[in-house]
C-alpha cells in the first residue's frame, strides 16, 4: 500500500458575517457584525467549516463567509499585510486554530 501524503496546513483569511443571537457578546443595538478571521486548514473549505463550528460554539450566528485565500494568494492579489496580521496568521498556523482578529459591529442607520 502506498502511504497518502498529508497536505500541509495553511492559514486562510476569512471574513465572516454574523447575525444576532442571544449571548453573542455583540454591543446592544448591533444588527450583526463582520469578523476578520485567520483559520488554519488543509484547504479553504476545511478552514471555513472549522471557523463556522467555533463561532457557533461561541453563541454566534454565522450567515456568510468570504474567503480571501492564503497569505501568498493575498500578496499575489496585491493585498498588503502588516506585521501584526502576519504574526496572527503565524500563530493560527502554529496553534492549528481560528483567530478572530477584528470584530466590526453593524448598526441599522435608520434606528440610530
Amino acid at each position: 500500500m502506498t502511504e497518502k501524503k498529508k497536505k500541509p496546513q495553511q492559514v486562510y483569511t476569512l471574513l465572516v458575517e454574523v447575525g444576532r443571537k442571544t449571548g453573542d457578546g455583540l454591543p446592544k443595538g448591533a444588527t450583526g457584525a463582520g469578523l476578520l478571521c485567520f483559520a488554519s486548514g488543509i484547504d479553504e473549505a476545511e478552514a471555513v467549516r472549522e471557523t463556522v463550528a467555533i463561532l457557533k460554539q461561541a453563541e454566534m450566528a454565522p450567515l456568510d463567509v468570504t474567503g480571501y485565500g492564503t497569505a501568498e494568494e493575498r500578496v499575489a492579489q496585491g493585498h498588503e499585510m502588516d506585521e501584526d496580521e502576519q504574526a496572527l496568521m503565524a500563530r493560527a498556523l502554529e496553534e492549528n486554530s481560528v483567530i478572530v482578529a477584528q470584530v466590526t459591529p453593524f448598526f441599522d442607520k435608520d434606528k440610530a
Side-chain angles (χ1 to χ4, degrees):
M1 274 209 252
T2 57
E3 200 175 308
K4 258 189 163 181
K5 260 194 166 178
K6 194 174 177 187
K7 282 182 153 184
Q9 293 278 322
Q10 296 190 74
V11 176
Y12 296 86
T13 301
L14 306 174
L15 182 60
V16 184
E17 183 180 339
V18 296
R20 290 309 310 252
K21 185 175 179 185
T22 303
D24 61 14
L26 295 176
K28 186 177 181 175
T31 58
L35 282 60
L36 176 63
C37 301
F38 301 119
S40 65
I42 57 169
D43 57 24
E44 193 168 73
E46 181 186 58
V48 168
R49 284 191 303 274
E50 292 294 322
T51 300
V52 168
I54 286 171
L55 292 175
K56 285 181 177 181
Q57 285 179 354
E59 300 297 324
M60 301 203 98
L63 301 173
D64 189 49
V65 180
T66 303
Y68 291 93
T70 63
E72 294 79 20
E73 291 168 340
R74 290 183 55 205
V75 168
Q77 294 170 21
H79 295 201
E80 291 185 23
M81 292 179 289
D82 62 26
E83 287 181 23
D84 290 341
E85 194 171 355
Q86 291 173 15
L88 288 172
M89 292 179 92
R91 182 175 159 204
L93 182 61
E94 181 180 311
E95 296 176 1
N96 188 24
S97 64
V98 174
I99 294 177
V100 178
Q102 184 177 345
V103 177
T104 305
F106 302 143
F107 294 93
D108 188 349
K109 292 179 202 168
D110 295 335
K111 293 185 180 179

